[in-house]
Amino acid sequence: MCSIIGYYGDGPAAPILVRGLKRMEYRGYDSVGVATKSDHDIALKKGVGKVDDVNNALHLDNLPGHIGIGHTRWATHGNVTDVNAHPHPSSSGKIAIVHNGIIENYDELKADLQARGYNFKSQTDSEVIANLLQFNYDQCHDIKQSMIRTMSKLKGHYAFVAMFENGMLAAARYHEPLIVGIGKNGFFLSSDVLGFIEKTDDAIYLDNGEFVMLDRIGIQIYDFEGNAVKHQVTKVSKEFADAYKGDYAHFTLKEISEQPDTIIQAGDKSADAINTATDFIKHARNIYITGSGTSYNAALVAKYLWQKHAKIKVEPIISSELSFTPETIDPNSILIAISQSGESADVLEAVKIAKKANAKILSIVNILTSSLAQESAVVIGMGCGPEIGVAATKSFTAQLGIIYKITRKLCDGCINVDSTKISDSVGKVLSDQTKIKEIAKELKDVQDIYILGRAVHYPIALESALKLKELSYIHAEGIPGGELKHGPLALMDSSVYVIIINPNDFTYNDTLTSAREIKARGAKIIGISDKPSDVYDHWIQIPTIDDALYPLIEIIPIQLLSYYSAIEKDTDPDYPRNLAKSVTVK
Ligand code: F6R
């Protein structure tokens, strides 16, 4: 998603902004731009491409001045073009803005402003903010008043930073993240602490419906009515400063490799919250669990585990579906929301709907300062550290780690969540990647991959398909083993590869039979199992572990396979095309 950044201080603004944008690259984007306030006017450069490429071509970091704003754009309104990139100047050029979010009523605002003589250059919804601010400022010549009037007209959700000709920065937050960084020699505004963590770990998290004004006198924060608001300065966790690749070629590989530690540490700092959550789950009449993408797949694993081991029924809901089926939520129930970022718009919307029905919100979230954490009665921190690769890897297994810890409590210790064994088993899969790399070479030209799993291995099949799609751009589909004969068998021929998730548990024999049926149609079989079989063209061996724990282990080789397939196809595994790390628009 778009990242916004602003700087007001003693240092040269442009290189600081470019560096901050670079650290937020993981959020996903297609174009980049910077504007600074020099002695006389606002200077601006922007273009389509990666931060480094656009900077090499245009020298964004050479823009003069000590005040500036910057942006990476993830297109929603208008094509990916230089003109549509941010910052957007107002038609007089006296104000420039960067924006993250969507302005729903931009059409009518734009028509009104055009009728009043304000010109638009881009196809974006964002440009309307620049001209609306300009219009209001032209009326009242007061920055605070022009901000209040502007926000009162905007519909949608947004965080924006505006730079005025006199050098003042003003920024507003409405259902999109915006954080103020307080440095020794300057102030920062950013979508993410990573935008300024190299310079300061003192931050103020603005609440929804607040705006901030920054100049040499300092910071003033107000609500949208203009009342002054006071905030504590928070210390940002130092772990965010570790967001470097180290010796790894990519963040994705680093994050996959961290899993022997991150799985077993998951939720360690939230022991009380896990106890409280378990208590709520035990006593609730209705339990819903929600998430998007990978986090939804983790929710599905919870359904299977809690049902099997604790005889507790939970209904998984894809977050984006709940807006269309709000009647699903019974009053006075609980909703467990799972999200790495805690900023996925669909998840936040689901929470809003559940709250309307008086549901209690429990969350499993990695970013403890996120909107989801703020909306939740009980927050379980995943504690897996920053995940920069756009594809979720260690966050998925950290979510599972917490779900397992809750399962053990729900069933009074009926499953043995043996940390050493889990960590060693994951380590074993990671220790020899030779075979996985060889298979990845073969997958390079494959068009379709199907992944089969039964019971709790079915959500792992879905997660495997998601990873393959995102990282290798190969069409992949997760199928519950028993469904094969009800349709997918028609697709099996010699051009197809099928991954069989087949640990030696109660699903083993049936899944092996499915593998034989597929093999008979000529497809190639990759078996993920602790037991060899002649049906596998490739056998990826996983260690034997307690039956209940296999899902934690079997996803690891598929994460690696997806990663190495991306390498074979020469695509960037950290930043898959068209995707964003936190999807803050609906
Ligand atoms: C998959 C992936 C996405 C996210 C989804 C939810 O690899 O990264 O599918 O899982 O966008 O994101 P969070 O968990 O941040 O709500």
Side-chain angles (χ1 to χ4, degrees):
M1 287 293 109
C2 305
S3 296
I4 58 178
I5 190 164
Y7 174 74
Y8 192 114
D10 298 338
I16 291 172
L17 294 168
V18 170
R19 181 89 187 131
L21 290 172
K22 187 97 194 96
R23 292 199 55 135
M24 292 193 285
E25 275 189 308
Y26 77 98
R27 289 166 58 88
Y29 69 103
D30 45 59
S31 23
V32 56
V34 169
T36 56
K37 164 77 183 68
S38 66
D39 287 347
H40 307 295
D41 53 10
I42 289 175
L44 190 155
K45 292 179 184 178
K46 56 186 184 175
V48 170
K50 295 277 181 208
V51 174
D52 281 342
D53 296 339
V54 176
N55 193 35
N56 286 339
L58 302 179
H59 306 291
L60 304 173
D61 56 2
N62 268 352
L63 285 166
H66 300 268
I67 306 163
I69 56 178
H71 190 265
T72 47
R73 174 175 188 245
W74 189 83
T76 58
H77 292 65
N79 301 339
V80 178
T81 60
D82 293 347
V83 173
N84 286 339
H86 298 216
H88 291 290
S90 61
S91 60
S92 67
K94 294 185 172 172
I95 299 172
I97 65 99
V98 287
H99 164 231
N100 172 27
I102 287 178
I103 305 302
E104 285 163 7
N105 59 338
Y106 82 99
D107 257 349
E108 61 191 77
L109 291 172
K110 186 171 175 174
D112 184 50
L113 287 160
Q114 280 172 322
R116 294 172 191 271
Y118 292 82
N119 299 321
F120 285 77
K121 296 187 192 73
S122 79
Q123 303 163 304
T124 67
D125 54 334
S126 308
E127 193 178 3
V128 83
I129 302 173
N131 275 330
L132 188 58
L133 268 174
Q134 184 72 65
F135 165 72
N136 286 321
Y137 186 77
D138 291 346
Q139 302 287 305
C140 65
H141 302 284
D142 178 273
I143 291 178
K144 182 179 168 190
Q145 276 313 313
S146 60
M147 286 291 283
I148 294 169
R149 290 181 191 186
T150 296
M151 271 93 74
S152 74
K153 294 282 181 208
L154 296 177
K155 292 203 177 113
H157 44 104
Y158 50 81
F160 70 81
V161 185
M163 183 167 62
F164 289 78
E165 203 187 25
N166 70 357
M168 179 170 270
L169 295 184
R173 175 180 183 206
Y174 193 66
H175 294 293
E176 293 290 348
L178 184 63
I179 305 160
V180 184
I182 321 276
K184 280 206 178 66
N185 302 311
F187 300 116
F188 299 82
L189 295 156
S190 181
S191 304
D192 188 318
V193 291
L194 288 178
F196 55 75
I197 191 69
E198 284 180 337
K199 300 284 180 189
T200 179
D201 58 355
D202 285 333
I204 292 174
Y205 290 85
L206 294 184
D207 285 331
N208 252 340
E210 290 181 350
F211 71 101
V212 56
M213 290 171 43
L214 291 182
D215 61 10
R216 92 182 61 79
I217 297 161
I219 301 179
Q220 302 139 70
I221 303 174
Y222 303 99
D223 64 22
F224 280 7
E225 266 88 53
N227 305 304
V229 176
K230 284 219 177 320
H231 271 281
Q232 296 287 344
V233 176
T234 313
K235 277 265 176 238
V236 174
S237 170
K238 277 285 184 198
E239 67 182 354
F240 285 99
D242 294 340
Y244 287 106
K245 278 189 283 212
D247 291 336
Y248 290 94
H250 296 98
F251 281 111
T252 306
L253 184 58
K254 174 175 181 262
E255 288 154 10
I256 292 172
S257 308
E258 285 169 359
Q259 292 176 106
D261 297 324
T262 50
I263 296 178
I264 59 171
Q265 286 161 7
D268 270 2
K269 291 190 180 143
S270 300
D272 289 347
I274 290 182
N275 286 337
T276 314
T278 307
D279 211 47
F280 278 132
I281 294 167
K282 268 186 180 161
H283 297 106
R285 259 187 44 217
N286 296 295
I287 308 161
Y288 307 97
I289 187 162
T290 194
S292 301
T294 291
S295 298
Y296 174 71
N297 293 334
L300 277 178
V301 172
K303 169 196 145 95
Y304 281 96
L305 291 180
W306 296 350
Q307 199 166 278
K308 184 174 171 67
H309 301 290
K311 311 283 174 278
I312 286 178
K313 293 250 181 289
V314 47
E315 187 174 339
I317 307 169
I318 295 174
S319 297
S320 56
E321 285 289 299
L322 200 58
S323 302
F324 306 96
T325 55
E327 63 286 350
T328 312
I329 307 282
D330 282 334
N332 304 320
S333 47
I334 64 173
L335 178 82
I336 305 168
I338 308 183
S339 173
Q340 188 284 129
S341 61
E343 298 294 351
S344 293
D346 290 326
V347 180
L348 295 174
E349 184 65 20
V351 164
K352 200 160 136 196
I353 290 165
K355 276 191 160 177
K356 250 193 206 153
N358 244 339
K360 195 178 283 295
I361 310 298
L362 276 50
S363 62
I364 299 177
V365 63
N366 200 27
I367 308 298
L368 291 174
T369 47
S370 61
S371 308
L372 176 59
Q374 285 166 21
E375 293 292 329
S376 308
V378 181
V379 181
I380 303 173
M382 289 155 52
C384 62
E387 186 178 68
I388 305 297
V390 165
T393 53
K394 65 173 176 175
S395 66
F396 177 64
T397 51
Q399 290 164 353
L400 296 193
I402 289 167
I403 288 165
Y404 273 98
K405 285 174 184 169
I406 296 176
T407 311
R408 184 183 51 192
K409 285 186 183 293
L410 287 175
C411 71
D412 299 320
C414 77
I415 58 165
N416 178 18
V417 188
D418 179 339
S419 298
T420 315
K421 200 138 189 217
I422 295 170
S423 184
D424 287 352
S425 303
V426 173
K428 219 174 241 171
V429 178
L430 293 168
S431 66
D432 186 2
Q433 303 176 6
T434 323
K435 189 162 218 171
I436 293 173
K437 285 183 190 166
E438 276 165 20
I439 303 172
K441 283 200 175 86
E442 232 175 282
L443 294 187
K444 193 172 168 225
D445 303 312
V446 170
Q447 299 288 322
D448 304 292
I449 300 180
Y450 297 90
I451 304 106
L452 239 71
R454 280 183 160 77
V456 72
H457 311 298
Y458 168 54
I460 301 299
L462 292 177
E463 175 57 14
S464 304
L466 188 56
K467 285 296 86 81
L468 280 160
K469 275 182 244 189
E470 287 174 296
L471 291 177
S472 70
Y473 306 161
I474 301 171
H475 164 248
E477 225 178 280
I479 303 173
E483 285 297 285
L484 187 67
K485 291 199 276 293
H486 299 289
L489 207 51
L491 297 166
M492 300 301 153
D493 64 24
S494 57
S495 69
V496 164
Y497 273 66
V498 181
I499 300 176
I500 306 283
I501 302 183
N502 202 17
N504 190 15
D505 68 0
F506 64 104
T507 64
Y508 180 82
N509 287 329
D510 286 320
T511 303
L512 201 67
T513 305
S514 303
R516 292 200 190 284
E517 288 165 358
I518 295 165
K519 178 103 170 179
R521 272 82 188 172
K524 288 260 188 334
I525 310 280
I526 302 170
I528 302 211
S529 182
D530 40 343
K531 227 175 144 179
S533 165
D534 59 357
V535 74
Y536 304 142
D537 295 284
H538 298 291
W539 174 40
I540 300 180
Q541 186 176 6
I542 53 168
T544 299
I545 195 160
D546 295 38
D547 278 11
L549 303 179
Y550 277 117
L552 285 170
I553 316 298
E554 63 206 21
I555 187 62
I556 311 289
I558 304 176
Q559 291 174 343
L560 286 171
L561 192 60
S562 308
Y563 169 77
Y564 285 115
S565 301
I567 300 297
E568 285 302 322
K569 294 185 84 164
D570 206 16
T571 63
D572 186 342
D574 285 345
Y575 308 113
R577 68 185 175 205
N578 304 337
L579 298 181
K581 184 68 183 163
S582 30
V583 185
T584 56
V585 293
K586 283 207 290 169

